[in-house]
Amino acid sequence: MKKIMLLALLIGLGSTSIAQETWRNITDTYSHRKILPDGQKIWLATKGGLICIDNVSQDTTYYNHANSGMPFTSVDDMCLDQEGSLWVVSVGAGIASKEGETWTSYNTTNTVLPNDRAFSIACDSDGNIWVNLMYYLVKYDGVSWTTYAHDTLGGNLLFPTWTAFDKDDRVLFGNDGDAGVRAWDGNQLTLYTAENSPLHSNRIGFVKTFPDGKTWIGYQDAGLTITDFSTWEYIDTLVPGTPLEEVYAFDRTSNGEYWLGTYTHALYHYDGNEWEKVFAASPVDSIRYIRQITLDENGKLYSAGSPNFTFDGENWKNITTPGSGMRGNSVRFFLHASDQTAWVASVSGMTGIRDNIITHYRGDDSSSYVSANCYAEDHNGKMYVGHGGGISKFEDNTWKRANPPTGRVPSNVGSMCFDGNNNLWFYYAMQLTKFDGTNTTVYSWMYNDFPAHEVYCMTIDINGSIVCGIDRGVAVWENNQWVAKLNPDAVALYPRVHDIAVRDNVIWLCGTDGLIKYDGSEWTTYNSGNSPIPEGGVWGFDFDAEGNIWFLNGRTNLIKFDGVTFEVIPYFESGMNWGLNSKLRIDHLNNIWIGGADVGISIYNEAGITLNMEEINPLALKEEIIQVAYPNPTNGLLNIAYKLPENQSGWMLSITDLQGRQIDAFALSGNESSISYSTDKLNSGLYLITVFNTKGKVSSTTKVQVIK
């Protein structure tokens, strides 16, 4: 299902789109976990993908799940085997090796691996690859996998975050919590802890064995132990008067010099006689933290952290990776605005993406950091964001605080929507609030008889009224009062509603119980028990231009539902970032945007992705497609005259509200014609009239105001 390319496409870097690219990842590539020199190349493992830098040309190549054969995007650990092949692992999507430009994936779908939760990887002196999975240590000898369950080795290890070897080729492993050091010799496991050995602490930061047979063990809290597992030496300072804290990185040159780095930004060097603290020089102005260091065959130092840098003994150099412009991989909400900007809400702030350019806002005019939760667009095209400090609106390219007079400052606004009369509705602190521009009205379990304790999400129906997703169903406004419509077939004790939409007067929900349809009288639930949906819970969903529902199921499945047939796209057949993908919205270009907790953004369009209006057919200009839409404003029939490019078939017209929800869609015929559309199902407000072809390339969009 995915388009395989050799080079990653990063929005905002001036990259050129490749025709018919069907998957794209937009991720934060600034968080570097590991650095690995490889001859002329440098490999960087990041949450946002694998990065390769040519030391000579400085050419940078980005690999992720969407643009290569790598079966995941987030890389947690990596190593080089004796043949020079690169091995990478991901916590959730398994193991992969790269030999030349050929990727090989190892996971539960094609091997005997017990799970895909791979945390750390290393290659021993015999050429075996050792990987620590959740609860398992596994060995690959190039032909077959051997699995050792942690509980048979002395207890389960949920997060085995590091793997190393000692002088006797015992496999050393543990985590960066409180597990101490485990040593496996193929027959027996030995556990070293602060309670049964001279180990100073069970909180291990890094472990590495050097040619002299000594194993260095750095601690998360303080100090370093050097041992051959017979004698033990604990070191709490390398330079007099300076405590050694948070030791996460060290390595040794071929002539016996050592480098050590700490997460508290200290860098130390041992020249064979004494230790000294080393301070970076321009252009590496300051070291904020060191996550990992390694030395190449010439003794050149490479450091992953903040910043990434190299030091050859004389010159300091920053390792720069342009990145995508994305800040933080946790996506909480998507909204595709009427000006075709895709707004992304995350813990890192507000991110706007338009025409392949990413703009990030970390705060508003209050000079405070903003952790964004949700968006809404009013009938005038004004954007609002709900966040931990209340509500802000976007004016003059700046977010400005705009909290309504509620009597107290809204905190952690979780859901927002504008109704048909342009009233702002928002939910916070267990209460639903309506703001008409002057006054606020509060609805909750205690005020004005709101029939639920909590609102999970909200939308508007065809009458412009608010519909709220609540436990076991929805709350709707009927005859000037709130009425709960509850699903009698709800299975879960507290079936949380994850997303909601109204189409053709039918309410659609998704949540713990599955995908749910409510037509006003009957409830229909689709789940793993009665349909091809692989797993129980359903997360975010949306309608495409042809009326199909696309939704997320479990952690790994994207599903298309045309009302009759389910088409399942499993993770390994997709280009999706692995993780808890829970948010899905479809933009005006028919691209499917997917995101969630710590997964970044995945974009899918089965007909080919277009994010830049300049990439669209130059014939598809507004004045050549939609000739005119009149009367505008309208309170009855809307006449739309259009002219389509010749020799192109499959044109459609869609009508969406400013929340990005499609109200109607139908096919167009004839290259030059007109239609009359009744606005009976539209409430007062602004709507987008969009003409596009069935390949998903938008040709023309115009705004129409309906007045009732």
Side-chain angles (χ1 to χ4, degrees):
M1 298 296 296
K2 64 181 177 181
K3 178 74 175 180
I4 297 177
M5 298 173 291
L6 296 180
L7 299 179
L9 296 177
L10 290 178
I11 292 181
L13 301 182
S15 301
T16 301
S17 269
I18 295 177
Q20 298 305 301
E21 171 199 11
T22 58
W23 281 98
R24 186 181 299 187
N25 295 157
I26 304 175
T27 54
D28 186 339
T29 56
Y30 290 85
S31 178
H32 301 95
R33 292 168 167 164
K34 195 163 186 178
I35 189 167
L36 190 61
D38 179 17
Q40 186 175 310
K41 297 175 292 188
I42 308 170
W43 296 99
L44 286 163
T46 83
K47 292 172 64 175
L50 179 68
I51 304 174
C52 181
I53 303 174
D54 188 298
N55 264 327
V56 177
S57 67
Q58 297 303 302
D59 290 341
T60 303
T61 306
Y62 296 80
Y63 298 89
N64 56 49
H65 187 34
N67 70 14
S68 72
M70 191 166 68
F72 41 77
T73 293
S74 180
V75 180
D76 290 273
D77 199 5
M78 61 182 173
C79 68
L80 288 166
D81 67 17
Q82 294 179 343
E83 303 299 322
S85 295
L86 181 71
W87 290 76
V88 292
V89 296
S90 179
V91 179
I95 307 161
S97 65
K98 183 179 184 297
E99 183 177 358
E101 291 301 325
T102 301
W103 286 93
T104 303
S105 175
Y106 304 92
N107 54 65
T108 52
T109 69
N110 60 13
T111 72
V112 296
L113 290 173
N115 64 63
D116 292 324
R117 306 298 301 275
F119 288 83
S120 58
I121 186 169
C123 179
D124 68 18
S125 59
D126 294 324
N128 299 306
I129 303 297
W130 292 83
V131 181
N132 263 290
L133 307 176
M134 182 177 66
Y135 300 134
Y136 295 91
L137 173 67
V138 297
K139 181 180 77 170
Y140 181 60
D141 62 9
V143 177
S144 59
W145 294 90
T146 304
T147 300
Y148 307 94
H150 285 165
D151 58 0
T152 65
L153 302 182
N156 287 338
L157 193 58
L158 185 62
F159 304 123
T161 52
W162 57 266
T163 304
F165 308 97
D166 69 5
K167 61 182 177 60
D168 298 318
D169 274 341
R170 293 189 302 173
V171 184
L172 308 177
F173 62 99
N175 64 25
D176 54 6
D178 58 358
V181 176
R182 287 167 165 80
W184 169 248
D185 66 4
N187 296 298
Q188 181 179 353
L189 180 88
T190 304
L191 176 62
Y192 300 93
T193 69
E195 291 72 33
N196 69 5
S197 76
L199 203 64
H200 183 73
S201 168
N202 292 329
R203 294 172 54 80
I204 309 300
F206 188 61
V207 176
K208 187 177 180 67
T209 299
F210 295 110
D212 62 0
K214 297 294 182 67
T215 298
W216 290 34
I217 303 170
Y219 299 109
Q220 269 195 15
D221 36 26
L224 166 73
T225 288
I226 301 176
T227 180
D228 59 6
F229 295 97
S230 296
T231 61
W232 303 72
E233 178 186 9
Y234 174 68
I235 300 170
D236 60 6
T237 182
L238 298 176
V239 175
T242 303
L244 186 60
E245 299 175 331
E246 298 187 41
V247 179
Y248 277 79
F250 36 78
D251 205 357
R252 179 185 186 273
T253 66
S254 58
N255 63 359
E257 297 182 20
Y258 291 88
W259 287 88
L260 183 146
T262 75
Y263 207 74
T264 54
H265 68 257
L267 179 64
Y268 299 91
H269 175 245
Y270 177 72
D271 63 4
N273 295 306
E274 62 181 356
W275 286 93
E276 65 172 337
K277 193 171 183 179
V278 179
F279 296 92
S282 181
V284 183
D285 296 324
S286 64
I287 300 173
R288 289 175 287 281
Y289 63 84
I290 296 173
R291 179 170 284 164
Q292 187 252 342
I293 61 174
T294 188
L295 298 155
D296 67 15
E297 65 274 10
N298 299 314
K300 185 176 181 179
L301 174 70
Y302 296 79
S303 175
S306 179
N308 304 305
F309 64 87
T310 66
F311 180 57
D312 62 8
E314 294 182 1
N315 301 306
W316 298 85
K317 185 177 180 180
N318 283 307
I319 300 175
T320 58
T321 53
S324 66
M326 185 75 177
R327 289 292 185 273
N329 280 329
S330 291
V331 174
R332 293 173 171 169
F333 198 87
F334 290 117
L335 189 145
H336 298 287
S338 58
D339 66 357
Q340 302 198 19
T341 299
W343 285 99
V344 184
S346 76
V347 67
S348 300
M350 294 77 67
T351 300
I353 305 175
R354 185 183 182 194
D355 289 347
N356 283 337
I357 297 174
I358 294 180
T359 306
H360 186 70
Y361 304 86
R362 295 184 65 85
D364 56 17
D365 60 353
S366 68
S367 300
S368 62
Y369 173 79
V370 169
S371 179
N373 295 325
C374 57
Y375 294 104
E377 183 177 9
D378 71 10
H379 293 187
N380 300 312
K382 185 78 67 179
M383 285 298 305
Y384 289 75
V385 63
H387 51 79
I391 298 172
S392 299
K393 64 180 177 180
F394 195 59
E395 289 183 331
D396 304 321
N397 205 36
T398 302
W399 286 99
K400 300 178 180 179
R401 196 61 59 94
N403 286 326
T406 59
R408 59 173 174 166
V409 176
S411 60
N412 205 26
V413 174
S415 188
M416 299 171 61
C417 198
F418 281 92
D419 66 16
N421 295 316
N422 211 24
N423 299 308
L424 173 63
W425 293 78
F426 57 97
Y427 180 77
Y428 80 102
M430 307 295 287
Q431 64 183 37
L432 179 64
T433 301
K434 173 186 173 182
F435 177 52
D436 64 7
T438 303
N439 301 308
T440 58
T441 305
V442 174
Y443 300 91
S444 73
W445 189 257
M446 300 176 61
Y447 299 101
N448 294 319
D449 298 325
F450 188 76
H453 287 281
E454 190 169 359
V455 173
Y456 298 126
C457 49
M458 64 179 78
T459 188
I460 57 172
D461 62 17
I462 60 174
N463 299 313
S465 298
I466 293 293
V467 180
C468 299
I470 61 175
D471 277 339
R472 310 181 73 84
V474 296
V476 298
W477 184 256
E478 288 185 354
N479 300 320
N480 295 317
Q481 63 180 348
W482 286 102
V483 178
K485 308 285 187 176
L486 302 182
N487 180 7
D489 300 321
V491 176
L493 181 61
Y494 298 104
R496 185 182 181 97
V497 177
H498 298 142
D499 206 356
I500 185 172
V502 178
R503 181 179 172 87
D504 297 331
N505 214 25
V506 173
I507 299 174
W508 289 85
L509 309 168
C510 70
T512 311
D513 281 347
L515 180 67
I516 303 166
K517 175 184 177 181
Y518 177 59
D519 64 6
S521 59
E522 294 185 358
W523 293 83
T524 305
T525 300
Y526 305 93
N527 54 39
S528 58
N530 61 15
S531 76
I533 298 175
E535 300 182 47
V538 173
W539 299 88
F541 73 101
D542 204 356
F543 294 88
D544 68 14
E546 297 177 349
N548 302 303
I549 301 175
W550 292 84
F551 62 91
L552 297 163
N553 173 235
R555 288 178 175 265
T556 57
N557 303 301
L558 173 65
I559 300 178
K560 176 182 178 181
F561 179 47
D562 63 7
V564 177
T565 304
F566 292 89
E567 178 187 345
V568 180
I569 305 176
Y571 171 81
F572 287 110
E573 295 179 16
S574 76
M576 194 187 313
N577 294 325
W578 188 91
L580 188 55
N581 288 288
S582 58
K583 308 300 178 184
L584 186 151
R585 285 292 181 267
I586 300 177
D587 66 15
H588 310 293
L589 303 166
N590 224 30
N591 301 303
I592 302 170
W593 294 64
I594 300 166
D598 207 30
V599 296
I601 301 170
S602 303
I603 303 175
Y604 175 61
N605 191 324
E606 56 190 342
I609 295 169
T610 296
L611 296 183
N612 191 337
M613 293 301 294
E614 295 178 359
E615 298 172 9
I616 299 171
N617 188 325
L619 290 176
L621 301 175
K622 180 176 180 179
E623 59 269 21
E624 294 189 14
I625 299 297
I626 297 181
Q627 301 283 291
V628 65
Y630 67 94
N632 190 7
T634 182
N635 62 0
L637 287 179
L638 175 66
N639 300 294
I640 306 169
Y642 60 88
K643 181 179 180 181
L644 305 176
E646 295 181 1
N647 302 319
Q648 293 186 28
S649 61
W651 290 93
M652 296 191 70
L653 182 148
S654 82
I655 300 173
T656 59
D657 61 25
L658 294 187
Q659 280 73 42
R661 296 290 192 182
Q662 183 172 272
I663 307 300
D664 212 342
F666 43 86
L668 297 177
S669 59
N671 292 109
E672 186 171 359
S673 187
S674 64
I675 62 170
S676 293
Y677 179 80
S678 173
T679 62
D680 288 348
K681 65 169 61 177
L682 305 181
N683 200 57
S684 296
L686 283 177
Y687 296 87
L688 299 178
I689 310 297
T690 302
V691 174
F692 60 94
N693 62 44
T694 53
K695 293 182 179 180
K697 303 295 187 283
V698 158
S699 295
S700 178
T701 298
T702 191
K703 281 184 183 179
V704 172
Q705 185 174 11
V706 176
I707 299 176
K708 294 283 182 77

